[in-house]
Amino acid sequence: MVVAGGGLIGLVTAWRAAQRGLTVAVVDPAPGGGAARVAAGMLAAVTELHYGEEALLGLNLASAARYPDFTAELEEASGEEIGYRSCGTLAAAFDADDRAALRELHTLQQRCGLDSQWLTGRECRRLEPMLAPSVRGGLRVDGDHQADPRRLAAALLSACERSGVRFVRASAARLSVEAGRATGVVLEDGTAVRAEQTVLSLGSYAARLNGMPPEVVPPVRPVKGQVVRLRMPPSRYGPFLSRTVRAVVRGGHIYLVPRATGELVIGATSEEMGWDTTVTAGGVYELLRDAHELVPGLTELPLEETCAGLRPASPDNAPLLGPTALPGLHLAAGHYRNGVLLTPVTGDAMGELLATGEVPELVRPFSPTRFTGEQPHRTPGAAPAPTPTTST
Ligand code: GLY
């Protein structure tokens, strides 16, 4: 089989498929790159809950629950750590309106049976002493953790290599379709990478691959996010921040993700700007302004990096997982705000689908065909895919 796109989703799909005995090629000019280079890595099933996303919540929680075992298995398989920290999250409110917004989130969390505790401003500062005195209240969510997406991508790359996944370091220019079925991808130089099963895990770019029949083009669009990275000092008096801190600051949303390595990731803007990935003065200003209101002491920290990436968003904010209406073509795309969180469950589901032909129950609601009303093509079960071959 061939996986077009070597970000987190493509790599985890390739690794799990290889573990199940399939022969796998990943096509990507720079595997391990993409949104993983930008993402903060919050595993925020509870604190990032939104109205109308209850079905997605089930998938998010299932994936969060898999993280400890997934981490142990991947670190063993790759020999590399992925920066998983079970540190919990505090969601803080800056002013009275922000507190009302968090109260609404708390109501929704309680209605969904989630574990979340309301704190006063003073209780928030007791947990995180660097918070501004103006913080009015917050939510303590001990089950929302973090991983480091760059280290996760590096570990998946190593695990894939150790499992025999072949990397074709080039861009997929178009999907190859012969006699009504997908037969792999064609590279920019005309080389064909042929396979019985093709998985598109190109993030936002999944909708841009040439050669796709119109009915299988996924409705995925890019949503830009800008991020700033600071460096926290080692401290004799305790960590600068001990857990992920999210906040509503005068109606705007921000998060600060402190890593064990000393990196502090501040994110993120959310901009419908097409394919633009420019880091702008305005974007960085807004992030630092809100972060400074929340944690005044952070203006002393060294600024290490600014960057921007594209979230692959679908019409219902949930991923597209499984077979399309075109025989031989599968999608693993559209993970939007939850790519890092959904990496374990996506790998498990895609591995099972590719090896057995069966779509696991858990991901059936996320069929790529749910927006078109078409039937997904059913792959005959349990037939090992032939070795991908490369020809010109
Ligand atoms: N999940 C964080 C973000 O999308 O910015």
Side-chain angles (χ1 to χ4, degrees):
M1 57 166 280
V2 61
V3 179
L8 294 177
I9 298 303
L11 290 175
V12 78
T13 297
W15 179 45
R16 289 308 198 193
Q19 281 181 318
R20 284 173 170 261
L22 300 184
T23 304
V24 186
V26 172
V27 174
D28 194 305
R37 301 294 309 159
V38 180
M42 285 174 303
L43 310 176
V46 178
T47 43
E48 241 181 70
L49 178 63
H50 288 79
Y51 280 102
E53 293 184 6
E54 286 80 357
L56 176 59
L57 171 66
L59 191 67
N60 286 344
L61 289 172
S63 203
R66 290 175 198 210
Y67 245 98
D69 287 349
F70 172 80
T71 301
E73 188 185 350
L74 177 57
E75 291 187 345
E76 169 74 23
S78 65
E80 296 178 32
E81 294 185 3
I82 68 160
Y84 176 68
R85 283 187 71 199
S86 50
C87 56
T89 295
L90 175 68
F94 188 73
D95 65 19
D97 288 347
D98 300 331
R99 185 171 53 191
L102 271 195
R103 285 275 191 204
E104 271 193 40
L105 174 62
H106 193 213
T107 304
L108 178 61
Q109 289 167 338
Q110 287 178 315
R111 198 187 311 149
C112 294
L114 300 170
D115 193 11
S116 159
Q117 182 193 353
W118 184 262
L119 301 182
T120 63
R122 184 171 300 185
E123 287 168 331
C124 290
R125 280 186 294 281
R126 205 172 296 140
L127 279 185
E128 295 297 340
M130 296 302 283
L131 286 179
S134 43
V135 165
R136 296 292 188 94
L139 290 168
R140 177 176 177 160
V141 177
D142 287 339
D144 275 3
H145 304 312
Q146 59 162 287
D148 183 337
R150 293 180 179 181
R151 298 173 83 189
L152 174 59
L156 283 169
L157 198 53
S158 299
C160 281
E161 282 166 349
R162 289 184 178 187
S163 304
V165 172
R166 184 169 68 94
F167 284 92
V168 179
R169 291 174 197 265
S171 294
R174 69 178 166 84
L175 182 71
S176 173
V177 181
E178 291 169 30
R181 67 172 293 126
T183 54
V185 293
V186 179
L187 310 181
E188 277 170 347
D189 68 359
T191 304
V193 182
R194 298 179 60 80
E196 193 75 14
Q197 303 196 76
T198 303
V199 179
L200 296 189
S201 54
L202 291 160
S204 324
Y205 295 92
R208 287 183 107 185
L209 187 66
N210 291 321
M212 305 255 282
E215 65 278 12
V216 297
V217 175
V220 178
R221 69 182 197 286
V223 177
K224 177 179 172 181
Q226 300 189 51
V227 161
V228 170
R229 285 175 159 79
L230 309 182
R231 171 79 29 202
M232 297 178 293
S235 170
R236 283 183 293 144
Y237 309 110
F240 186 83
L241 292 175
S242 63
R243 73 203 69 223
T244 299
V245 175
R246 306 176 61 93
V248 193
V249 180
R250 299 191 214 288
H253 291 261
I254 190 162
Y255 47 79
L256 289 78
V257 182
R259 301 212 197 288
T261 55
E263 184 178 73
L264 179 64
V265 186
I266 302 175
T269 64
S270 191
E271 305 164 68
E272 302 269 356
M273 296 283 291
W275 303 95
D276 171 61
T277 53
T278 313
V279 176
T280 63
V284 172
Y285 165 72
E286 282 174 24
L287 290 174
L288 291 178
R289 178 198 62 201
D290 291 351
H292 172 248
E293 295 255 44
L294 188 69
V295 181
L298 63 67
T299 46
E300 304 298 322
L301 304 183
L303 189 152
E304 287 201 326
E305 190 184 332
T306 59
C307 56
L310 300 173
R311 304 174 184 87
S314 73
D316 60 7
N317 298 337
L320 291 82
L321 299 171
T324 68
L326 181 69
L329 182 67
H330 307 281
L331 274 173
H335 290 66
Y336 191 33
R337 297 185 309 261
N338 298 307
V340 182
L341 173 59
L342 290 174
T343 293
V345 82
T346 299
D348 292 348
M350 294 304 293
E352 185 171 340
L353 164 64
L354 292 161
T356 68
E358 291 297 327
V359 180
E361 187 70 40
L362 185 62
V363 301
R364 282 190 197 155
F366 304 99
S367 165
T369 62
R370 69 188 183 275
F371 301 110
T372 60
E374 287 187 290
Q375 285 302 308
H377 182 263
R378 208 171 166 282
T379 312
T387 306
T389 53
T390 304
S391 58
T392 46

